[in-house]
Amino acid sequence: MNTAFADALAAGLAKLTRVANTPSEPFGFGVDLSCATDFTEDMAEVDPFSVRAIAEAIIRRLSTPRGTLVDDPDYGEDVRGYCNRGVTERDLQSLEARINAECKQDDRIDSATTTVTQSGNALAIAIFITPVDPKLGGFTMTLAASS
């Protein structure tokens, strides 16, 4: 960028009036719409630091195929791909580790411990989540994944 353009840009920015107040810590995540698989009819909002928001975020992570988000190619671990096919104990243990790693990508989660079992063509997934915020305490999610 040449100097004349940089000076003109800086001068133009200096003339702008701030519309919103400067945020103060904790900066947070704002608000989120409540949706695990689809929006609610009333487009309900959910506190992003609540157990519900974290649980819904995990559900979205575990039903999104990796590489399908344009702005985050490392997002997602679609567990449904393990249904209706034979898997070994080693496959299930590997999936448990990948689910734990996927959960930990969320800044609100300190740790995750997962147990995956196969029942017929479906998976039963139990995840114990320890949020970063100690006020939330740990919580368990139980999911069923099928075709």
Side-chain angles (χ1 to χ4, degrees):
M1 174 180 326
N2 70 34
T3 306
F5 180 75
D7 292 344
L9 182 61
L13 290 173
K15 292 178 185 177
L16 295 176
T17 304
R18 180 175 287 280
V19 176
N21 295 330
T22 303
S24 58
E25 289 189 43
F27 298 113
F29 285 80
V31 295
D32 197 1
L33 293 175
S34 181
C35 62
T37 58
D38 200 357
F39 299 110
T40 60
E41 286 186 23
D42 62 352
M43 300 297 278
E45 292 182 348
V46 62
D47 175 1
F49 290 106
S50 67
V51 168
R52 181 182 182 114
I54 294 170
E56 288 179 357
I58 291 170
I59 291 169
R60 290 189 299 270
R61 281 185 175 278
L62 299 182
S63 59
T64 301
R66 184 169 299 280
T68 59
L69 286 184
V70 175
D71 62 337
D72 190 355
D74 292 328
Y75 180 97
E77 181 65 49
D78 192 356
V79 298
R80 296 171 297 182
Y82 286 83
C83 298
N84 297 315
R85 69 176 184 152
V87 292
T88 65
E89 273 300 313
R90 179 180 240 161
D91 292 335
L92 294 178
Q93 291 169 353
S94 175
L95 180 58
E96 290 172 352
R98 286 198 310 284
I99 290 171
N100 291 340
E102 188 64 34
C103 291
K104 285 200 41 111
Q105 285 190 44
D106 190 309
D107 295 338
R108 299 167 291 184
I109 297 175
D110 183 54
S111 66
T113 305
T114 303
T115 303
V116 179
T117 55
Q118 188 174 31
S119 176
N121 292 329
L123 298 178
I125 303 168
I127 311 169
F128 183 78
I129 301 293
T130 304
V132 170
D133 183 353
K135 291 181 283 188
L136 293 178
F139 64 94
T140 300
M141 296 179 59
T142 304
L143 310 169
S146 59
S147 60

